């Protein structure tokens, strides 16, 4: 019989930003931000706000590669006076209908902390420094500092003239996004990244010393070299968090069972292949952890992007099915187990009309937005989690766990990764007896898929369990146990 052991003593504070979403205009590739905006009423779609409030993200980041050529002043002020922008990566024109103030108003409406990324000298990418249309889209440290003032200075005349008297008071800012990913010669070097980071950080903190800053410290794709080393060496106390992305969740270039709809032919083989993706995530996280520990830095990790990258690109139908929800639950439990070093994490892109790597899928304005499986997982973990991490272990590799605590309530997340067998699990709480146990569970069949005609297939069932030290965990299920001590 499997045993889960929990030491309920609180170990460390868990950042609420462990359950982040991020918003990036994706041009003609996926009608994301513009699809969330009601052009006729000049506001965010109320049904989109409603579904995001239900998702309850702790924070929302504005960013992505867009910020390598995004000029923030083009997106503020009277709508008619705003400047159109070519979306150089994702295609088409951005009308900047949704700009700085609209994004921050959305965060306010859904009670999420905003995280703002800035144009970090175009991340050293020549194609944005001097574009094909002859534009110079690189942003400098003064431009970034001006945005800090626009958002945080109570007396900023520019913001007040645009109709927002109170400051937005953004606490967390990201400097650099996927800066290490292009080939050498098509980006900064790690040394240039660190040097420019220091320049930007000093300029931004001069406007508001209270802000927290995230620097880019991920690996070079061609060498595996961690940029965190040089970033911390040069940046020191200016580095509050180190950004990495989990964008390598793919099987490589060879066709596999994960390609197209082949996954439907053998769910066992599909689950095994997804296990290979999970191993990549875990190994990268452990590598980042070892890097931070070797540096002796108090800076935490910020996993500000990451999703399954399988074919067809960002549109796999598997991501509508429960088997993908089970996979993402493993990742979320992994991040929670390492919440002593992770401040920010996410499992998916945020919202759009096309990509199935999104947490929220929107149809036309006549269709109700809804959560994809990864969104349901983030919702479950976010809604049933505590403020402090606790030690937890499972002696059965098919039963994956994470745990947290708030005052006298213990939250235990259990992922039964077995596709064939349920389990009766012994729960040991270090000599503490539970008063009551509630189980919040998602447990459909593996091939259960969500679309606009079947919105309730991943509904959470809540039951009261007997506080006898035994947990009955169905196969292929994800459960958040709420235990009163």
């Amino acid at each position: 019989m499997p045993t889960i052991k929990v030491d309920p003593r609180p170990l460390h504070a868990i950042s609420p930003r462990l359950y982040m979403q991020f918003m990036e205009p994706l041009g003609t590739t996926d009608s994301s931000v513009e699809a969330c905006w009601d052009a006729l009423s000049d506001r965010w779609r109320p049904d989109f706000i409603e579904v995001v409030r239900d998702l309850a993200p702790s924070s929302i980041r504005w960013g992505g590669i867009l910020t390598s050529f995004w000029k923030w002043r083009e997106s503020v002020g009277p709508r008619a006076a705003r400047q159109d922008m070519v979306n150089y990566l994702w295609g088409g024109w951005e009308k900047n209908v949704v700009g700085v103030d609209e994004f921050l108003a959305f965060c306010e409406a859904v009670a999420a902390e905003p995280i703002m990324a800035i144009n970090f000298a175009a991340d050293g990418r020549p194609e944005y420094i001097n574009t094909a249309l002859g534009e110079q889209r690189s942003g400098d440290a003064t431009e970034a500092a001006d945005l800090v003032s626009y958002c945080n200075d109570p007396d900023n005349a520019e913001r007040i003239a645009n109709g927002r008297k109170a400051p937005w008071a953004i606490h967390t800012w990201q400097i650099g996004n996927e800066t290490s990913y292009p080939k050498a010669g098509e980006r900064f070097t790690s040394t240039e990244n660190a040097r420019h980071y220091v320049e930007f950080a000093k300029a931004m903190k001069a406007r508001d010393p209270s802000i927290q800053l995230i620097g880019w410290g991920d690996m070079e794709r061609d060498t595996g070299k961690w940029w965190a080393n040089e970033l911390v060496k040069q940046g020191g106390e200016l580095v509050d968090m180190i950004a990495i992305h989990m964008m390598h969740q793919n099987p490589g270039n060879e066709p596999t069972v994960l390609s197209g709809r082949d996954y439907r032919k053998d769910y066992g083989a599909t689950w095994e292949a997804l296990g290979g993706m999970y191993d990549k995530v875990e190994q990268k996280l452990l590598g980042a952890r070892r890097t931070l520990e070797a540096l002796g830095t108090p800076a935490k990790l910020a996993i500000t992007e990451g999703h399954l990258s399988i074919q067809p690109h960002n549109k796999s139908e598997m991501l509508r099915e429960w088997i993908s929800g089970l996979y993402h639950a493993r990742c979320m439990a992994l991040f929670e187990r390492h919440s002593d070093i992770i401040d920010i994490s996410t499992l998916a892109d945020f919202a759009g009309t096309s990509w199935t790597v999104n947490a929220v899928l929107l149809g036309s304005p006549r269709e109700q937005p809804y959560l994809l499986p990864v969104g349901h997982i983030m919702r479950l973990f976010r809604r049933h989690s505590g403020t402090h991490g606790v030690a937890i272990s499972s002696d059965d590799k098919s039963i994956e766990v994470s745990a947290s605590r708030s005052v006298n309530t213990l939250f235990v997340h259990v992922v039964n990764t077995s596709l064939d067998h349920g389990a009766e699990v012994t729960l040991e709480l270090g000599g503490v007896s539970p008063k009551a146990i509630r189980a919040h569970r998602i447990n459909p069949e593996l091939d259960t898929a969500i679309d606009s005609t079947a919105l309730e297939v991943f509904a959470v069932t809540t039951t009261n369990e007997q506080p006898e030290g035994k947990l009955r965990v169905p196969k292929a299920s994800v459960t958040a146990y709420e235990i009163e001590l």
Side-chain angles (χ1 to χ4, degrees), residues 37-223:
W37 188 263
D38 183 343
L40 294 178
S41 300
D42 198 30
R43 61 178 181 175
W44 293 100
R45 284 175 54 173
D47 55 357
F48 176 60
I49 288 179
E50 181 180 356
V51 76
V52 176
R53 284 175 176 165
D54 183 52
L55 176 61
S58 53
S59 52
I60 301 174
R61 164 183 171 254
W62 177 268
I65 296 178
L66 175 96
T67 52
S68 295
F69 50 86
W70 177 68
K71 310 291 280 184
W72 71 266
R73 278 197 169 91
E74 296 174 358
S75 76
V76 298
R79 195 68 46 76
R82 295 185 188 182
Q83 183 175 331
D84 294 351
M85 177 188 74
V86 173
N87 195 320
Y88 283 98
L89 179 65
W90 301 115
W93 286 91
E94 296 295 341
K95 299 296 184 180
N96 278 314
V97 170
V98 174
V100 172
D101 293 297
E102 288 78 16
F103 165 69
L104 295 172
F106 175 75
C107 292
E108 208 170 58
V110 299
E113 176 193 354
I115 299 172
M116 181 67 76
I118 52 90
N119 186 326
F120 178 48
D123 290 285
R125 301 185 183 203
E127 68 269 32
Y128 304 141
I129 296 173
N130 294 291
T131 72
L133 295 181
E135 291 189 287
Q136 206 281 61
R137 302 296 299 183
S138 177
D140 61 20
T142 299
E143 184 178 309
D146 286 348
L147 181 55
V148 173
S149 295
Y150 183 89
C151 294
N152 290 8
D153 183 352
D155 300 317
N156 183 266
E158 194 173 357
R159 184 193 68 250
I160 293 171
N162 289 336
R164 172 76 183 193
K165 184 176 181 180
W168 291 110
I170 301 178
H171 182 58
T172 305
W173 300 73
Q174 182 167 340
I175 303 174
N177 180 82
E178 298 190 352
T179 319
S180 62
Y181 286 1
K183 296 178 182 178
E186 299 175 0
R187 53 160 167 78
F188 290 143
T189 65
S190 62
T191 301
E192 290 170 334
N193 174 70
R195 175 167 54 81
H196 285 295
Y197 175 88
V198 171
E199 177 192 2
F200 274 65
K202 287 181 176 179
M204 293 167 71
K205 279 185 172 285
R207 304 294 180 91
D208 184 351
S210 72
I211 60 176
Q212 279 195 317
L213 298 178
I214 307 169
W216 186 256
D218 206 337
M219 295 185 289
E220 290 180 353
R221 283 187 168 174
D222 47 354
T223 67

